């Protein structure tokens, strides 16, 4: 394959307006929470990391720009799904299905649809152990009017997220961060 694909991908990332707006917000979130902060997008029915920043106690997940995972398998992908048009969601589900990533991944269409309704109502998503055992993700959508640009998320350990005050703090961080990003977009 060679490094020319790395050059092409880097060029694409660095020309992306969302990346430039989100990068300082991710740096701040990672610094303040100590956790892994990520901005991601949907491409061809998959969740794709655009950029992430690690805090001093971040999980070492081996993530990198361009990493792709099923949208249904964690909170960041689900907030994107929750804000896509219904016909797009149906096409993604028909094309990719709901294969399990872990034993906790949602694999039932009706269960997923109910989660997506709750996410739209609550304005955020939270999951534990659905993508990686021991990892929880808190995420909010990045919306420009009614169009979903992507997701802002924080990954932490399952044990740390059990603390309700810490969980509320992370939710507030992603909400504030999303507001900053979308106001500048």
């Amino acid at each position: 394959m060679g490094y020319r694909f790395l050059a092409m991908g880097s060029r694409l990332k660095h020309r992306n307006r969302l990346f430039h707006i989100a990068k300082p917000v991710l740096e701040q979130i990672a610094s303040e929470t100590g956790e892994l902060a990520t901005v991601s997008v949907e491409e061809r029915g998959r969740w794709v990391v655009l950029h992430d920043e690690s805090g001093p106690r971040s999980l070492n997940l081996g993530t990198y720009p361009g990493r792709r995972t099923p949208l249904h398998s964690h909170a960041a992908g689900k907030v994107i799904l929750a804000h896509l048009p219904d016909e797009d969601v149906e096409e993604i589900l028909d094309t990719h299905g709901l294969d399990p990533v872990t034993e906790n991944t949602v694999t039932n269409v009706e269960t997923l649809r109910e989660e997506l309704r709750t996410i739209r109502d609550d304005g955020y998503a939270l999951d534990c152990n659905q993508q990686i055992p021991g990892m929880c993700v808190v995420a909010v959508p990045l919306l420009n009017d009614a169009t979903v640009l992507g997701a802002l998320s924080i990954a932490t350990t399952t044990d740390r997220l059990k603390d309700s005050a810490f969980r509320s703090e992370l939710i507030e961080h992603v909400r504030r961060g999303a507001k900053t990003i979308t106001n500048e977009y």
Side-chain angles (χ1 to χ4, degrees):
M1 285 177 53
Y3 289 108
R4 67 186 169 125
F5 293 108
L6 177 61
M8 290 170 31
S10 293
R11 190 170 39 241
L12 179 64
K13 172 183 167 177
H14 287 278
R15 289 181 178 172
N16 185 298
R17 183 173 181 202
L18 182 58
F19 161 72
H20 286 286
I21 294 169
K23 187 176 187 313
V25 174
L26 295 176
E27 290 169 349
Q28 182 177 1
I29 290 172
S31 173
E32 291 175 357
T33 66
E35 304 292 353
L36 179 68
T38 304
V39 66
S40 55
V41 295
E42 179 270 334
E43 182 183 58
R44 295 188 180 110
R46 294 291 191 199
W47 176 83
V48 181
V49 173
L50 182 59
H51 186 70
D52 61 15
E53 291 287 339
S54 295
R57 63 182 193 167
S58 292
L59 290 169
N60 184 4
L61 301 173
T63 60
Y64 52 87
R67 181 169 187 248
R68 306 168 74 80
T69 63
L71 285 164
H72 75 283
S73 65
H74 52 82
K78 289 178 188 178
V79 295
I80 292 172
L81 273 175
H83 292 85
L84 288 174
D86 290 340
E87 58 273 6
D88 291 356
V89 173
E90 292 308 313
E91 183 179 335
I92 289 168
L93 296 180
D94 289 345
T95 301
H96 298 288
L98 295 175
D99 293 334
V101 178
T102 71
E103 64 183 31
N104 296 306
T105 307
V106 173
T107 57
N108 177 279
V109 174
E110 286 310 312
T111 302
L112 179 64
R113 284 191 178 116
E114 182 58 37
E115 276 193 43
L116 298 180
R117 283 189 289 275
T118 301
I119 291 166
R120 280 190 297 272
D121 291 344
D122 293 346
Y124 71 93
L126 186 142
D127 82 69
C128 288
N129 307 312
Q130 291 189 29
Q131 176 65 222
I132 298 171
M135 178 187 80
C136 291
V137 177
V138 176
V140 294
L142 298 171
L143 300 170
N144 185 8
D145 296 320
T147 303
V148 63
L149 304 170
L152 176 62
S153 60
I154 299 173
T156 188
T157 66
T158 304
D159 287 339
R160 287 198 288 263
L161 205 67
K162 288 178 184 176
D163 178 332
S164 62
F166 184 64
R167 183 172 50 251
S168 295
E169 178 185 328
L170 293 186
I171 293 167
E172 184 56 32
H173 274 287
V174 289
R175 283 182 167 158
R176 264 196 328 258
K179 185 174 181 180
T180 299
I181 291 168
T182 56
N183 284 343
E184 291 183 31
Y185 192 81

